[in-house]
């Protein structure tokens, strides 16, 4: 069988020893010896066989591999020409009539396949025996009686017997007991063992379970026929049992099984070594390779999976799902995370919807809105950490460990902080969205896209970034790059960040609407900061990037990095404000500050800081270094002489979510003079069409007026009052 056949059959029971990853050969050999007695001549050649006549039960939960064992057993038995194997699957038939006919037809058909002439008479005698028990109904009715029919056959059984008495010809001479003895005699003379394998008894309706049980009871004591019945003991006991409660049904059903099954043999549970072997085999069948676990969370996921898997079917289902999903997110998401997700949703399909409904709450890089929600949740719950049960409710205990492994925000263990690159983790918002979407959502960039952009030359890169900016997709690019930057090639560092800085710098004067570029500067600098901390040569990469940015005249990303270090080392009037993690040493920070501040001062004096930059990191680097002097204050104040200039200043200093106090403003510019200009210009002007700009101006007016900017009143002309 080629690999394609194996994949097509991946959820079917195995049927040949070469596919047996669990090495069940010795166990199958023991079953052969239990069901068949072999007589050999002096040379060791098999001379004849006979059935032991035992009814053996192969028990185990659904999916544990009972069907595979039956197939392997049939394979071994059929190699012996002195053994006839009849395999009966009751799941293919419906109702008592069909089951009875199918059972005897199956046995008769198996006998007919043997070249032995002596089995022809056995076939005929089998038909006579079937007819005799159908007519008499005594044996089967007795079984129904034993099932608790109140001393008589059930109404359905009586109806079946009445039908038989009107359609069948009564044997003229022999009773059912006599016909059975005759059948046993012919089987003995045939020197052939007959073995009946009954599979999937636990998959049929309760009525069919009882019917098969009655059949086994009726013909199971025939000398010369052995039975192996595979079933889930709990399921079958419940189907056979009587009583008002589950417990009563279980007890009575088990009691009845004892009367049918002579040797119940439980299939051994899977050991960890078994699961590991099955996983390797299933991956091989799908032509898939998962790299060895290299990080703690990967080992943790694998261990959780090995402990959770109970049956070979579990392995087939989870690897089958992985083969589909891994193709959909190829090279984007860590395969261990995808494997864990596949396990969760194959075992509990409803979890997929729950994960989808709580995407933002699960990820490690939440949106601003989600951060606010989390803070509000903590405030309302006495600062307690939000748990997975809080999100999903009760009933997820079986998956808590696996969910914590793939969504580490719910795992407080310190080892998380020691892990490095996590841009391919499912806990990243981009990746979770991609997996739920089964591929890249519209507008999403793939890893291949990011790698292509990263490798572009300077001119091509700027054109590409400008196209993304115009299409509103720069955020998507940075979102993806936030995950992937640590594994991007170092050769793109000097080109990409320089090109991005150029594109984020406006090519025209003044801010006229809500600009997202301010946030992009923060994102870009934060990505660089993260690269420096999560890659082995990250510090060197950052320094090389900063040098390239400075050479190109960058006034956005470098000031962000510098200001973060000024606070971290305490080179600000407030003392150390950082939380550690700085990349440059104190001396390196001083050197960078002294190198950069003259450039920043020039940008303010020449008006570029106000007219072209989307943020104020440059200005605050000078302020926080206590280098802002009267010349800068006077120059910036003089630049704020038009509606466009003041609107831009308001958008930079008091956008939504950012506040600047009066003292800082008065240090930066002449606050009193600016307030006079603002009131003079805007109180007589129509409200700007862009509401974002209008709100920024109102907040600036409130700060200049020493009022609470959260309750800023309108500074513009009120048309209703005219």
């Amino acid at each position: 069988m080629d690999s394609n056949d194996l994949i097509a059959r991946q959820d079917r029971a195995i049927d040949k020893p070469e596919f047996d990853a669990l090495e069940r050969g010795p166990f199958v050999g023991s079953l052969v010896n239990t069901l068949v007695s072999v007589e050999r001549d002096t040379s060791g050649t098999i001379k004849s066989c006979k059935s032991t006549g035992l009814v053996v039960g192969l028990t185990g939960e659904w999916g544990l591999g009972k069907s595979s064992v039956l197939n392997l057993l049939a394979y071994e038995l059929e190699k012996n020409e002195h053994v006839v194997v009849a395999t009966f699957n009751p799941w293919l038939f419906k109702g008592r009539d069909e089951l009875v006919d199918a059972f005897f037809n199956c046995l008769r058909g198996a006998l007919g396949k043997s070249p032995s002439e002596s089995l022809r008479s056995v076939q005929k005698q089998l038909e006579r025996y079937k007819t005799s028990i159908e007519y008499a109904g005594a044996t089967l009715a007795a079984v129904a009686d034993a099932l608790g029919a109140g001393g008589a056959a059930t109404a359905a059984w009586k109806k079946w017997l009445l039908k038989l008495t009107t359609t069948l010809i009564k044997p003229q001479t022999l009773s059912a007991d006599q016909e059975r003895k005759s059948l046993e005699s012919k089987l003995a003379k045939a020197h052939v063992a007959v073995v009946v394998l009954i599979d999937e008894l636990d998959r049929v309706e309760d009525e069919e379970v009882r019917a098969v049980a009655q059949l086994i009871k009726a013909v199971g004591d025939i000398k010369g026929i052995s039975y192996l019945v595979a079933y889930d003991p709990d399921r079958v006991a419940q189907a056979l049992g009587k009583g008002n409660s589950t417990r009563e049904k279980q007890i009575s059903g088990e009691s009845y099984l004892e009367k049918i099954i002579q040797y119940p043999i439980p299939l051994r549970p899977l050991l960890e070594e078994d699961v590991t072997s099955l996983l390797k085999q299933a991956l091989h069948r799908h032509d898939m390779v998962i790299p060895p676990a290299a990080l703690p969370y990967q080992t943790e996921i694998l261990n959780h999976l090995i402990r959770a898997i109970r049956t070979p079917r579990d392995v087939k289902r989870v690897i089958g799902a992985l083969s589909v999903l891994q193709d959909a997110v190829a090279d984007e998401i860590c395969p261990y995370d995808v494997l864990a997700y596949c396990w969760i949703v194959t075992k509990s399909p409803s979890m997929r919807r729950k994960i989808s409904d709580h995407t933002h709450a699960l990820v490690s890089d939440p949106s601003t809105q989600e951060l606010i929600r989390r803070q509000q949740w903590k405030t309302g719950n006495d600062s307690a950490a939000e748990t997975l049960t809080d999100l999903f409710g009760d009933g997820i205990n079986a998956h808590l460990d696996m969910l914590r492994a793939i969504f580490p925000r719910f795992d407080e263990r310190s080892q998380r902080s020691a892990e490095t690159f996590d841009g391919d983790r499912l806990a990243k918002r981009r990746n979770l969205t991609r997996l739920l979407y089964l591929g890249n959502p519209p507008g999403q960039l793939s890893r291949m896209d990011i790698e292509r952009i990263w490798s572009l030359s300077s001119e091509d890169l700027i054109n590409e970034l400008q196209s993304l900016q115009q299409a509103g997709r720069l955020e998507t690019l940075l979102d993806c790059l936030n995950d992937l930057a640590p594994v991007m090639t170092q050769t793109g560092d000097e080109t990409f960040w320089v090109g991005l800085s150029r594109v984020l710098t406006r090519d025209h004067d003044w801010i006229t609407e809500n600009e997202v570029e301010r946030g992009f500067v923060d994102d870009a600098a934060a990505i660089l900061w993260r690269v420096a901390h999560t890659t082995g040569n990250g510090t060197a990469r950052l320094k090389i990037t900063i040098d390239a940015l400075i050479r190109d005249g960058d006034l956005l990303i470098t000031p962000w990095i510098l200001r973060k270090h000024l606070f971290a080392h305490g080179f600000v009037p407030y003392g150390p404000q950082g939380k550690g993690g700085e990349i440059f040493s104190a001396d390196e920070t001083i050197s960078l500050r002294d190198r950069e501040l003259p450039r920043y001062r020039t940008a303010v004096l020449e008006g570029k800081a106000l007219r072209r930059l989307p943020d104020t990191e440059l200005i605050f680097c000078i302020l926080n270094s206590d280098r802002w002097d009267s010349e800068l204050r006077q120059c910036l104040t003089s630049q704020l002489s038009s509606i466009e200039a003041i609107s831009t200043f308001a958008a930079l200093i008091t956008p939504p979510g950012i506040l600047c106090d009066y003292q800082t403003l008065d240090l930066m510019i002449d606050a009193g003079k600016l307030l006079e200009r603002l009131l003079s210009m805007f109180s007589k002007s129509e409200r700007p069409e862009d509401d974002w700009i209008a709100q920024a101006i109102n907040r600036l007016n409130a700060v200049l007026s020493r009022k609470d900017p959260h309750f800023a009143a309108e500074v513009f002309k009120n048309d209703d009052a005219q």
Side-chain angles (χ1 to χ4, degrees):
M1 184 179 294
D2 63 26
S3 59
N4 290 332
D5 291 332
L6 286 172
I7 293 173
R9 293 168 55 87
Q10 66 90 20
D11 196 33
R12 299 182 188 179
I14 63 170
D15 53 9
K16 291 183 180 179
E18 55 261 38
F19 305 140
D20 181 20
L22 299 181
E23 300 180 357
R24 288 167 287 200
F27 175 64
V28 171
S30 297
L31 288 176
V32 170
N33 295 332
T34 301
L35 298 168
V36 176
S37 294
V38 177
E39 183 181 354
R40 300 178 185 272
D41 59 23
T42 55
S43 66
T45 303
I46 296 175
K47 185 170 60 175
S48 66
C49 293
K50 65 178 181 178
S51 300
T52 61
L54 295 174
V55 179
V56 178
L58 184 65
T59 66
E61 63 182 283
W62 187 76
L64 190 56
K66 300 185 295 296
S67 296
S68 292
V69 172
L70 259 66
N71 289 344
L72 294 173
L73 177 60
Y75 182 84
E76 291 300 319
L77 290 171
E78 288 169 350
K79 291 193 298 185
N80 188 336
E81 63 179 10
H82 298 282
V83 178
V84 171
V85 181
T87 301
F88 177 58
N89 191 329
W91 193 42
L92 302 175
F93 308 98
K94 183 72 173 176
R96 295 176 182 272
D97 292 2
E98 281 192 20
L99 285 168
V100 171
D101 287 339
F103 179 83
F104 280 98
N105 289 339
C106 174
L107 187 53
R108 185 173 58 246
L111 292 169
K113 292 179 181 178
S114 173
S116 173
E117 286 296 327
S118 61
L119 289 184
R120 300 293 179 265
S121 63
V122 174
Q123 273 187 300
K124 294 177 182 178
Q125 186 57 40
L126 179 68
E127 185 62 31
R128 288 179 61 85
Y129 177 62
K130 172 177 179 283
T131 302
S132 69
I133 63 172
E134 285 176 337
Y135 181 83
T139 307
L140 294 179
V143 174
D145 183 64
L147 284 172
T154 62
W157 196 251
K158 288 178 179 178
K159 182 178 179 181
W160 183 70
L161 290 174
L162 180 61
K163 174 185 175 183
L164 289 175
T165 58
T166 59
T167 58
L168 297 177
I169 300 175
K170 178 182 178 181
Q172 296 298 311
T173 56
L174 301 180
S175 66
D177 186 57
Q178 290 171 320
E179 295 287 2
R180 178 178 61 80
K181 290 180 179 179
S182 179
L183 177 60
E184 291 175 345
S185 175
K186 293 181 183 297
L187 282 169
K189 292 177 181 179
H191 300 293
V192 173
V194 179
V195 179
V196 178
L197 306 179
I198 300 178
D199 195 12
E200 299 191 301
L201 180 59
D202 46 18
R203 296 186 65 178
V204 299
E205 300 294 334
D206 289 0
E207 181 182 354
E208 278 78 40
V209 172
R210 298 187 189 105
V212 175
Q214 291 164 4
L215 278 169
I216 297 171
K217 182 66 176 176
V219 297
D221 59 348
I222 297 176
K223 295 178 182 178
I225 300 179
S226 297
Y227 290 85
L228 182 69
V229 186
Y231 59 92
D232 181 332
D234 293 333
R235 164 73 184 93
V236 171
Q238 285 291 318
L240 294 176
K242 299 292 182 181
N244 296 322
S245 67
T246 300
R247 179 61 179 164
E248 289 177 350
K249 289 182 178 181
Q250 188 73 22
I251 293 174
S252 64
E254 289 174 352
S255 177
Y256 181 67
L257 272 172
E258 290 179 6
K259 301 175 183 178
I260 302 175
I261 306 297
Q262 294 169 285
Y263 293 164
I265 301 175
L267 199 58
R268 69 174 175 85
L270 293 185
L271 304 176
E272 290 189 3
E273 294 80 2
D274 297 330
V275 175
T276 301
S277 179
L278 287 171
L279 286 170
K280 289 180 180 178
Q281 184 189 68
L283 288 169
H284 177 71
R285 287 183 176 182
H286 287 278
D287 197 24
M288 295 177 63
V289 176
I290 293 182
L295 294 172
Y297 80 87
Q298 295 174 339
T299 301
E300 184 180 350
I301 287 173
L302 189 58
N303 289 339
H304 285 327
L305 185 66
I306 290 174
R307 287 193 297 267
I309 286 175
R310 294 177 58 87
T311 70
R313 183 171 275 111
D314 285 341
V315 175
K316 293 174 182 178
R317 294 183 71 202
V318 71
I319 299 302
L322 178 67
S323 69
V324 176
L325 293 186
Q326 190 64 13
D327 272 351
V329 296
D331 301 323
E332 299 283 356
I333 306 175
C334 171
Y336 284 90
D337 277 358
V338 181
L339 181 63
Y341 174 83
C342 288
W343 172 255
I344 291 170
V345 298
T346 54
K347 296 300 289 184
S348 299
S350 62
M351 284 299 300
R352 194 270 178 200
R353 178 60 182 270
K354 291 181 179 180
I355 291 173
S356 177
D357 289 344
H358 296 88
T359 298
H360 294 284
L362 292 168
V363 297
S364 301
D365 55 342
S367 62
T368 301
Q369 184 177 1
E370 170 60 16
L371 282 173
I372 294 172
R373 185 203 69 80
R374 293 182 187 182
Q375 186 58 46
Q376 290 173 339
W377 194 94
K378 291 187 69 175
T379 301
N381 290 274
D382 298 325
S383 298
E386 190 173 31
T387 68
L388 286 161
T389 304
D390 293 326
L391 285 180
F392 295 144
D394 297 329
I396 63 167
N397 289 339
H399 301 303
L400 276 177
D401 288 340
M402 198 70 88
L403 285 167
R404 290 192 187 106
I406 58 177
F407 299 118
R409 98 168 185 89
F410 298 98
D411 194 331
E412 298 177 353
R413 284 172 293 180
S414 59
Q415 72 171 15
R416 302 295 179 191
S417 61
E419 293 174 0
T420 54
F421 172 64
D422 65 351
D424 61 350
R425 294 298 312 272
L426 192 57
K428 291 294 184 178
R429 181 165 23 109
R430 172 184 63 89
N431 289 334
L432 182 54
T433 300
R434 173 179 280 115
L435 185 58
L436 292 170
Y437 194 83
L438 302 182
N440 285 323
Q444 181 68 280
L445 296 172
S446 68
R447 179 168 181 162
M448 187 178 297
D449 293 328
I450 301 300
E451 291 173 344
R452 179 186 60 80
I453 293 171
W454 187 263
S455 65
L456 292 174
S457 62
S458 179
E459 184 177 349
D460 291 338
L461 173 67
I462 290 175
N463 290 335
E464 180 80 15
L465 292 177
Q466 288 175 338
S467 296
L468 290 170
Q469 184 182 41
Q470 293 166 5
R473 300 181 67 192
L474 263 185
E475 182 177 11
T476 300
L477 170 65
L478 292 174
D479 192 31
C480 295
L481 199 59
N482 183 52
D483 297 338
L484 299 174
V487 293
M488 291 292 102
T489 60
Q490 186 173 341
T491 54
D493 287 338
E494 297 183 63
T495 305
F496 179 84
W497 300 110
V498 167
L500 182 63
S501 175
R502 290 188 189 181
V503 171
L504 294 180
T505 303
R506 280 194 309 278
D507 59 2
H508 61 275
D509 291 342
W510 314 128
I511 298 174
T512 59
E513 59 185 359
N514 180 14
E515 284 189 349
V516 295
E517 279 72 17
R518 182 189 194 122
F520 295 163
V521 174
D522 291 342
D523 291 343
I527 291 170
L528 274 172
W529 188 268
R530 184 164 170 269
V531 169
H533 285 91
T534 56
T535 56
N537 60 342
T539 298
R541 290 185 65 175
L542 178 64
K543 291 178 179 179
I544 290 171
T545 300
I546 292 298
D547 285 343
L549 286 166
I550 292 173
R551 288 196 303 271
D552 196 67
D554 165 62
L555 295 172
L556 296 175
I557 298 175
T558 307
W560 192 100
I561 299 292
L562 172 59
R563 189 166 178 238
K564 195 170 182 68
H565 279 88
L566 292 175
F567 275 83
H569 289 295
F571 299 142
V572 293
Y574 327 104
Q577 300 290 310
K579 296 182 180 179
E582 59 274 2
I583 296 112
F584 296 139
S585 67
D587 288 343
E588 288 173 327
T589 300
I590 291 173
S591 175
L592 181 62
R593 179 195 65 188
D594 293 345
R595 176 185 181 186
E596 284 293 275
L597 290 190
R599 288 203 310 119
Y600 301 168
R601 180 183 182 87
T602 299
V604 174
L605 293 174
E606 293 180 352
K608 186 173 183 178
L610 177 64
R611 291 172 176 267
R612 296 297 178 91
L613 302 185
D615 72 0
T616 57
E617 289 295 317
L618 175 153
I619 291 174
F620 278 95
C621 274
I622 304 174
L623 276 168
N624 296 148
S625 299
D626 202 19
R627 303 291 179 89
W628 194 268
D629 55 27
S630 58
E631 182 183 10
L632 288 171
R633 183 174 185 264
Q634 180 180 355
C635 180
L636 185 55
T637 302
S638 66
Q639 292 175 32
L640 301 175
S641 57
S642 66
I643 288 179
E644 294 81 8
I646 297 176
S647 296
T648 296
F649 186 72
L652 290 171
I653 298 298
T654 55
I658 296 179
L659 294 179
C660 183
D661 58 69
Y662 178 85
Q663 288 75 18
T664 302
L665 267 179
D666 196 45
L667 178 65
M668 190 184 306
I669 46 92
D670 186 331
K673 185 174 293 186
L674 180 59
L675 178 61
E676 290 178 6
R677 293 176 185 170
L678 188 151
L679 292 175
S680 173
M681 294 179 186
F682 292 99
S683 63
K684 300 176 182 179
S685 302
E686 299 289 345
R687 197 175 197 274
E689 292 184 4
D690 189 90
D691 184 64
W692 189 86
I693 292 291
Q695 291 182 26
I697 294 170
N698 285 329
R699 282 191 295 273
L700 176 62
N701 175 58
V703 174
L704 292 171
S705 303
R706 306 192 189 196
K707 297 178 181 178
D708 189 341
H710 292 99
F711 304 98
E714 284 283 334
V715 68
F716 306 101
K717 179 176 66 176
N718 189 333
D719 291 336
D720 294 336
Q722 299 303 313

